[in-house]
Amino acid sequence: MARGSGEVDDDLLLKVSPPRVPRNLVSRARLLSTEASIRDLRAILVQAPAGFGKTSLLAQWRLEHLSHGAVVAWLSAQPQDEPQRLAQSLALAVRRGAGRSTFGHTLLEAVGPGGLEGITVWLAELAQSALDVVLIVDEAERLPAASREALAYLLRNAPPNLRVIVAARPDVHLDIDDLVAYGQCVVIGPSSLRFRLDETMQLVRSRLGARVDNDTAARLHEMTEGWPLGLQLALTLIARGVDARADVAGIDMLGAELHDHLVKLLLARLDPGDSEFLVRIAILDHLHPALCSAVTENPGASERLARLGRDTPVFAASERGDWLRMHTLAREVLRKLFLDLPPVQQGLAHSRAAQWLAEHGLLEDAARHALTAGEHQKAYELAERSLYESIMRHGRQGAVLDWLAELPADELDRRPRLLLAAAWTLAVSERHEEAGRLVARILAQPEVRDELRCECALILGGAAVFADDPDRFAALHDPWSGAVPLHDPMLLQVHANRTAYRALLEGEPALARLREQQAPRGDFGRGAGYTRRWGELIVGLSYLWEGQVRLADGLLRPAVASADAELGRRNRFSCMLAALQAAAAWECDRPHDAATVLADRLDILEHSGLPESLLLAYRTLARMAAAEGAEHRALELLEALDAVGAARRLPRLRIASLTEQVRLHAGRYRSQSCRELCERIDALWRDDRLPQGPLWRQGVALLREVAQGYAAIAAKDWRYALEPLARADELARGLKQGRLRIELLGLHAFALDRCGEDSQTRLREAVDLADTYGLRRVFADAHPDLGDWVDRVAAGGPRRSAPVTAPASPAPRPAEAPELPRPATAYGMVLTPKEREVMDLLARNLSNKEIGRAMQVGETTVKWHVKNLFAKLDAGTRKQAVVRARILGLIKPAA
């Protein structure tokens, strides 16, 4: 308690002292105090379990408000803070934050007003002070009930010059629901405090620099699900020397270390009943109170689940209604403990889970639990009823493939629905030939109807698309392009998607989009938009095909976010969408976005991605590496694309890889390297074992002509370069590949200029089209000298390009968005401008006489200012004044 006028207990001084901002704190733009959704609110409640970074966020906000001239009063709540002591703490917090040693004099007397009267006195004095005050109350859950009521009273009666920020755990109820409902207070919860992928990557870079690449950072994010404490633990372990390589072994080792720490931090603090409950429900992917009650045979499971959800970080995210999901790290730890239970108890838990899930229509999960419980026939029946829906409605190829490994061959033949699901799954993977054999078994059945024949054609057509055989796809699709004997809305949507893709192959991207607009719109139910998502992919691809990267980016960004949320970030389809979005982001000159969206996805695309998405991903990464000056990395990526093309028997990708290598070497005028690469392309072109259909040959012929044009540029044979560039332009025009046409137009102008002919009209047309479509990278990516020439022309420079020389290594481009700068220190109403100047000079250890000369004032005036500073900062010496000014954020920290 207060001892008398001006005398305060040491513990009160400590509780109003703000914590230090962590050195490596990352400022997240969406959580800045100036963000539009919270900027003008007078009350903010940050509510989340331990480990979500509430105190760090509040410390960051404190610095931001100081930088804008506000007085920030900090209070760390304590269990002994009854209303009278709370009022005294508030008075002392304002006194220290504002540097006013007389504020709250009445409250800090030995016997001050108690109850709500003290809060009222504090509010009144604050209103009369004319200070712009931000009050931050941390750990409000520690306050006794009466003081929580007093805090709610303060929030309801706050004067216009007061803004209040409160942090508390979820089990705290401040009785301010009405303020939230009327928009006077906003609640920032766990979902907002979790790190997003780009934020995780920024945090990893700030802590570890180049020690961890983007793929590993993305895996850390997936492992921790953006949980701030989990991320900090992971980064601490890596900093101590734990292997953080992007391979499986390195990540597994780090995961094991994290599990051990999580057990120490979390499970050791739980009572035995809670620990046993969590262990038994850890076998469930999704949690519902009734399901948990059934599995544990505990009628109080609902209340226990709700309490644990509030008090611990075990539950990472909530879904619809009463459903919850356990954090990945916690679930893995708890499942290991579940395996230590007697086998009989494990089997009973899985059996009860299967029964409940089957009764509630969750057949796929029920089948998995039934199989684990040893109820094989029941599991096979449930799988037959669910897996076709799983692949068609949700695109869960992994689940179907897992079941294919479990199912005996005779069970698959006995269950036609499973046979169809397996065929669909294998068709849209790299296992095309197996899909063909399954379709042959289906068509060999007696009395096959046209509807089934059409569905089998769709299956085989999908296999042809993933095998990069457009002519076979067309041959399978075209017989069913008229009257379609399908009735299932999902199959009709699939057929519409294939019809749109067929138009795209013919070089009609606008027609492809029209076909998607005309597609049937059935009610597929929750999560069944998977087939519709294919429409988004085709439309996005059509925009990229035309060069309309702004339209592609606007469509693909929300599509990728939605697919990641519903299907999972490493889902095959999410990765294919991401490859398209990354290509659009790169063309719009947003390399950080492109790198973020592609992080930890390339391996998925290599194994099962659509050929076009795989090509776009590799090409984007290679061009990013080249732009950063890492040409060796760009060549490595392109060689890897060639290897993937060979492994998956996708020769067009091999030719595209070689063409891109020619482009890269042409930028350095390496004529011999380009000539050798063109010879490899010609050898593939003449190989009779490769597809010979007109659609495939047309696309490859375009790549071949582009490579020949670049090879001629590398040899500085400008006149000869015009011929293959013109042939490539004609092919690109026929296919309506707008981005490539703009590139070829620029290269043609470049070659004409080197021949001494007029090129300005052609160049300006190319530049104008690139500006219209938003293609900011097209000329720099095509050739460094072309990019420089375009920049000079755009800036009004000389009409003719500079003499050709082999370009120096390009300056590295930043592959990431710069970290948000910390706000500069400002002084607001705490110090006057003259006091601020004197304070800065005091911090530089100048004497009064030296300060007077610097400010061109008398020494007496300086002494008067110093005296005022001592009073405001409650300091007795110059050194103490400087230290307290730095603590309050009134001057910059010492370097």
Side-chain angles (χ1 to χ4, degrees):
M1 295 296 294
R3 298 169 183 168
S5 179
E7 295 186 61
V8 182
D9 287 341
D10 290 341
D11 61 340
L12 282 180
L13 289 173
L14 289 174
K15 66 186 295 183
V16 298
S17 299
R20 292 192 176 197
V21 176
R23 182 178 61 182
N24 295 308
L25 181 70
V26 171
S27 295
R28 295 185 271 175
R30 63 188 176 87
L31 289 178
L32 292 176
S33 61
T34 54
E35 204 277 327
S37 63
I38 61 175
R39 181 178 55 216
D40 299 323
L41 289 170
R42 308 310 301 172
I44 300 173
L45 176 59
V46 182
Q47 202 162 24
F52 276 86
K54 300 186 293 298
T55 299
S56 296
L57 178 62
L58 266 54
Q60 172 189 320
W61 281 351
R62 172 182 172 272
L63 288 184
E64 292 172 15
H65 285 297
L66 284 172
S67 74
H68 292 95
V71 171
V72 182
W74 181 282
L75 175 62
S76 297
Q78 295 178 351
Q80 62 268 35
D81 287 337
E82 296 296 337
Q84 182 180 0
R85 185 179 175 87
L86 175 63
Q88 292 175 333
S89 302
L90 292 172
L92 185 60
V94 175
R95 176 181 291 190
R96 294 205 63 183
R100 294 194 177 185
S101 59
T102 59
F103 186 91
H105 176 80
T106 303
L107 292 169
L108 289 168
E109 289 288 346
V111 181
L116 295 181
E117 182 182 353
I119 302 297
T120 303
V121 170
W122 183 83
L123 289 169
E125 185 171 355
L126 186 68
Q128 294 172 5
S129 69
L131 294 172
D132 181 14
V133 176
V134 176
L135 171 64
I136 298 177
V137 181
D138 194 19
E139 299 182 304
E141 72 276 357
R142 304 177 69 185
L143 290 172
S147 294
R148 293 182 196 176
E149 294 177 7
L151 184 58
Y153 172 82
L154 184 153
L155 288 167
R156 286 193 172 84
N157 295 278
N161 62 327
L162 175 64
R163 188 180 192 189
V164 185
I165 302 171
V166 179
R169 295 197 180 182
D171 57 337
V172 173
H173 185 64
L174 296 177
D175 194 26
I176 56 171
D177 294 344
D178 55 330
L179 296 181
V180 176
Y182 286 106
Q184 299 173 20
C185 175
V186 67
V187 179
I188 296 178
S191 59
S192 298
L193 295 175
R194 289 185 186 280
F195 276 70
R196 296 177 182 172
L197 174 60
D198 58 329
E199 296 166 346
T200 297
M201 295 174 70
Q202 186 181 355
L203 175 65
V204 170
R205 282 191 294 268
S206 70
R207 285 282 301 273
L208 302 173
R211 285 183 57 186
V212 176
D213 60 19
N214 286 341
D215 286 351
T216 306
R219 293 191 184 187
L220 288 177
H221 179 82
E222 183 179 9
M223 181 188 299
T224 61
E225 299 187 2
W227 181 33
L229 178 59
L231 278 172
Q232 293 296 342
L233 283 173
L235 295 178
T236 300
L237 291 171
I238 295 173
R240 290 176 182 172
V242 173
D243 193 354
R245 296 168 299 163
D247 58 34
V248 174
I251 292 296
D252 285 349
M253 180 166 55
L254 180 61
E257 291 274 358
L258 277 176
H259 292 163
D260 292 342
H261 279 72
L262 186 64
V263 171
K264 295 175 183 177
L265 287 172
L266 173 66
L267 300 183
R269 301 181 182 181
L270 296 175
D271 65 57
D274 288 342
S275 296
E276 182 182 358
F277 176 78
L278 289 174
V279 167
R280 291 181 180 275
I281 66 172
I283 61 173
L284 305 170
D285 290 334
H286 303 282
L287 307 172
H288 187 277
L291 173 58
C292 294
S293 293
V295 171
T296 62
E297 295 186 308
N298 183 347
S302 179
E303 292 75 13
R304 191 188 293 267
L305 189 65
R307 176 172 54 79
L308 290 171
R310 290 193 307 267
D311 299 345
T312 72
V314 168
F315 302 103
S318 61
E319 299 183 354
R320 297 190 311 161
D322 295 329
W323 288 91
L324 298 173
R325 183 171 57 84
M326 192 176 287
H327 193 288
T328 302
L329 286 173
R331 186 175 61 205
E332 293 303 319
V333 172
L334 294 167
R335 284 184 176 176
K336 289 181 180 179
L337 297 177
F338 178 84
L339 295 176
D340 294 334
L341 296 176
V344 174
Q345 293 186 24
Q346 294 182 38
L348 287 174
H350 282 292
S351 181
R352 287 192 290 263
Q355 183 67 27
W356 191 95
L357 291 165
E359 290 174 354
H360 290 80
L362 302 171
L363 304 183
E364 184 183 337
D365 289 341
R368 180 173 55 81
H369 284 288
L371 187 66
T372 307
E375 301 170 353
H376 293 91
Q377 286 304 313
K378 179 179 180 180
Y380 299 153
E381 292 171 4
L382 290 169
E384 182 180 17
R385 293 165 57 191
S386 65
L387 288 186
Y388 184 84
E389 299 291 313
S390 180
I391 180 65
M392 298 302 295
R393 290 181 178 270
H394 310 289
R396 294 177 184 151
Q397 283 89 3
V400 179
L401 291 174
D402 289 343
W403 274 99
L404 285 178
E406 295 283 349
L407 282 165
D410 58 339
E411 288 289 343
L412 193 61
D413 283 328
R414 289 172 48 205
R415 304 180 188 276
R417 195 81 166 167
L418 275 177
L419 204 58
L420 270 175
W424 273 109
T425 301
L426 297 175
V428 292
S429 70
E430 71 276 18
R431 297 165 64 178
H432 317 129
E433 295 179 358
E434 292 179 62
R437 290 195 291 270
L438 290 181
V439 167
R441 287 161 64 178
I442 294 171
L443 293 177
Q445 297 174 357
E447 300 180 3
V448 178
R449 295 177 300 168
D450 283 348
E451 184 174 6
L452 183 57
R453 293 183 184 278
C454 184
E455 182 173 358
C456 288
L458 290 176
I459 293 172
L460 294 177
V465 170
F466 276 82
D468 201 23
D469 191 345
D471 297 281
R472 174 164 169 75
F473 163 74
L476 288 162
H477 176 81
D478 290 350
W480 304 98
S481 59
V484 184
L486 298 173
H487 304 286
D488 188 321
M490 288 187 297
L491 292 177
L492 288 170
Q493 177 72 57
V494 172
H495 185 271
N497 294 339
R498 300 290 176 76
T499 302
Y501 187 71
R502 179 72 174 90
L504 192 59
L505 291 176
E506 291 287 353
E508 298 293 342
L511 180 60
R513 293 193 291 273
L514 179 62
R515 295 292 185 237
E516 284 296 340
Q517 292 173 7
Q518 295 172 342
R521 302 300 179 200
D523 182 11
F524 302 149
R526 178 178 178 265
Y530 175 69
T531 51
R532 290 180 182 169
R533 292 184 189 279
W534 276 95
E536 294 177 334
L537 186 147
I538 292 169
V539 171
L541 185 59
S542 75
Y543 281 135
L544 289 175
W545 187 291
E546 285 182 323
Q548 293 275 16
V549 292
R550 288 173 176 161
L551 296 175
D553 188 55
L555 170 76
L556 291 168
R557 264 195 291 180
V560 171
S562 175
D564 285 351
E566 184 175 323
L567 304 175
R569 192 175 185 278
R570 283 175 60 79
N571 175 273
R572 188 275 309 266
F573 185 81
S574 300
C575 293
M576 291 191 297
L577 273 177
L580 272 60
Q581 185 201 343
W586 173 250
E587 295 291 357
C588 295
D589 204 17
R590 296 202 317 275
H592 175 63
D593 290 350
T596 299
V597 77
L598 275 178
D600 198 28
R601 305 207 203 229
L602 196 59
D603 59 324
I604 302 295
L605 292 169
E606 287 173 350
H607 290 295
S608 57
L610 196 69
E612 201 63 34
S613 65
L614 178 60
L615 171 58
L616 287 171
Y618 266 106
R619 189 165 66 190
T620 300
L621 289 171
R623 291 182 178 182
M624 287 170 58
E628 292 167 10
E631 186 182 6
H632 64 287
R633 172 62 178 157
L635 290 170
E636 179 189 22
L637 285 163
L638 294 174
E639 288 290 356
L641 175 60
D642 183 33
V644 173
R648 286 185 54 181
R649 289 180 290 177
L650 302 174
R652 183 175 66 92
L653 265 62
R654 300 192 64 190
I655 294 173
S657 167
L658 297 172
T659 300
E660 196 67 18
Q661 292 179 58
V662 171
R663 186 197 313 266
L664 196 60
H665 287 299
R668 306 292 185 133
Y669 297 100
R670 299 171 183 146
S671 58
Q672 182 61 32
S673 296
C674 291
R675 188 178 305 113
E676 292 171 358
L677 290 167
C678 286
E679 289 173 359
R680 290 174 61 186
I681 293 174
D682 288 341
L684 287 170
W685 172 259
R686 292 190 296 268
D687 191 341
D688 293 337
R689 294 170 296 177
L690 300 188
Q692 301 298 316
L695 291 175
W696 190 89
R697 300 287 287 184
Q698 184 181 30
V700 171
L702 174 56
L703 292 171
R704 182 169 176 262
E705 296 293 352
V706 168
Q708 294 289 347
Y710 272 106
I713 290 174
K716 301 179 186 177
D717 190 345
W718 307 109
R719 182 65 61 186
Y720 177 76
L722 296 174
E723 298 177 14
L725 291 176
R727 292 194 296 269
D729 182 69
E730 183 178 358
L731 289 169
R733 185 168 61 250
L735 291 172
K736 297 185 180 177
Q737 292 194 11
R739 188 236 176 254
L740 182 56
R741 282 214 63 211
I742 294 170
E743 176 184 326
L744 294 168
L745 197 60
L747 289 170
H748 204 128
F750 184 56
L752 284 174
D753 182 76
R754 299 310 169 96
C755 291
E757 299 182 13
D758 179 40
S759 59
Q760 291 299 304
T761 302
R762 191 180 293 267
L763 177 66
R764 293 193 180 279
E765 181 179 348
V767 171
D768 185 62
L769 286 171
D771 289 342
T772 299
Y773 289 159
L775 292 163
R776 300 182 180 181
R777 297 280 329 169
V778 59
F779 301 118
D781 285 344
H783 195 287
D785 283 348
L786 173 60
D788 292 342
W789 184 38
V790 168
D791 289 342
R792 288 196 300 272
V793 170
R799 293 172 57 87
R800 291 293 304 275
S801 57
V804 177
T805 57
S809 298
R813 289 183 56 86
E816 58 185 63
E819 183 174 342
L820 294 169
R822 292 186 180 274
T825 302
Y827 301 85
M829 296 171 288
V830 178
L831 302 181
T832 67
K834 287 294 183 184
E835 290 169 351
R836 177 186 66 190
E837 193 173 353
V838 171
M839 192 73 253
D840 285 335
L841 295 171
L842 279 177
R844 291 162 56 185
N845 295 320
L846 271 64
S847 67
N848 286 351
K849 185 178 291 186
E850 291 170 329
I851 293 173
R853 285 199 297 266
M855 296 178 63
Q856 297 183 353
V857 297
E859 190 174 350
T860 303
T861 303
V862 173
K863 289 180 179 178
W864 183 76
H865 284 310
V866 171
K867 180 181 177 180
N868 287 340
L869 286 170
F870 282 5
K872 285 188 174 184
L873 298 173
D874 196 17
T877 66
R878 295 158 66 96
K879 182 178 180 180
Q880 192 176 37
V882 171
V883 170
R884 292 192 174 181
R886 283 183 176 138
I887 291 173
L888 292 170
L890 299 177
I891 58 176
K892 294 180 180 179

